[in-house]
Amino acid sequence: SVFNVAALDNLVLPVPLAVSPAGGSQSAPEQVEFVVMPQFITVTPDHVEVEVGEQDGLVLASVDLVVGADVDTLRWSPDVSWTPGGHYRWRVRAVSGDFNSGWSAWVNFSMVGLPERFELLPNYPNPFNASTVIAFQVPDVGDRQVRLEVFNTLGQRVRTLQDGVMDPGARSVVWDGRDERGASVASGVYLVRLIHREGVLTRKAVMVK
């Protein structure tokens, strides 16, 4: 799990959250961009290491992304010749001086053309206790207006995460477990809904505190 926390001489340096590409996602070669959220708990990392490779273990590229003040996301577009139909994986870790968080679990993704239909993938981690990544696919056809919302089991809308036209491809949004007012939601089951021109796709997300 990317939420494993390493205890380092009474200091806590959490593993960064690997946001995109999401696990199990399919990306077009020209659209691959790695997005990482460094987590600031006790120790602020100096940099975040990202490593990407083929699923058979061959490392293709790596980079150190410098963490600056007030940085909430880090992005990297590597110079890699992706193979259509190829299967890849990536992982991250935070580093602060002589400390490091340890590597996250590998996140697997595949390289294909643009999606042919809307798809809502399982959020991860799930259950979660802080943040969860909600991944979805947007096809390169017709109306790409997308609304991504979170509801409770009573059918009440808790949060709107996305509402607008999106570029085609594999997309992801982080839900921080808060409602529209910024208040943390209670433990329980929530429904993530992707609303698009063809209908509604729904997945369950479980908050555990």
Side-chain angles (χ1 to χ4, degrees), residues 71-91:
V71 172
D72 58 358
T73 56
L74 302 173
R75 299 176 182 274
W76 176 45
S77 297
D79 184 15
V80 172
S81 297
W82 306 106
T83 301
H87 302 289
Y88 300 92
R89 62 181 186 171
W90 69 297
R91 62 180 182 172

Side-chain angles (χ1 to χ4, degrees), residues 13-154:
L13 182 60
V15 178
L17 178 60
V19 177
S20 179
S25 66
Q26 298 179 331
S27 302
E30 66 275 10
Q31 292 190 329
V32 177
E33 180 184 50
F34 294 90
V35 181
V36 180
M37 290 182 62
Q39 300 185 71
F40 306 98
I41 306 297
T42 301
V43 179
T44 300
D46 301 322
H47 61 275
V48 170
E49 297 181 359
V50 183
E51 192 171 81
V52 59
E54 298 176 345
Q55 288 186 20
D56 63 7
L58 178 64
V59 174
L60 299 177
S62 62
V63 69
D64 290 349
L65 302 177
V66 178
V67 179
D70 302 322
V71 172
D72 58 358
T73 56
L74 302 173
R75 299 176 182 274
W76 176 45
S77 297
D79 184 15
V80 172
S81 297
W82 306 106
T83 301
H87 302 289
Y88 300 92
R89 62 181 186 171
W90 69 297
R91 62 180 182 172
V92 297
R93 70 175 177 178
V95 178
S96 181
D98 295 330
F99 298 130
N100 72 76
S101 65
W103 288 103
S104 71
W106 286 104
V107 178
N108 295 326
F109 65 101
S110 300
M111 202 59 56
V112 295
L114 292 173
E116 296 181 356
R117 65 181 185 275
F118 287 96
E119 186 174 356
L120 178 61
L121 301 174
N123 60 293
Y124 70 94
N126 193 29
F128 68 101
N129 62 10
S131 297
T132 188
V133 179
I134 301 169
F136 54 98
Q137 309 273 4
V138 179
D140 189 22
V141 291
D143 181 7
R144 299 194 303 272
Q145 182 80 23
V146 170
R147 191 160 74 251
L148 186 68
E149 299 176 323
V150 179
F151 290 80
N152 61 24
T153 54
L154 298 177

Side-chain angles (χ1 to χ4, degrees), residues 2 58 77-78 94 138 143 163 166 169 175 194 196 201:
V2 294
L58 178 64
S77 297
V138 179
D143 181 7
D163 188 7
M166 300 202 70
W175 180 37
L194 179 67
H196 56 91
L201 301 172

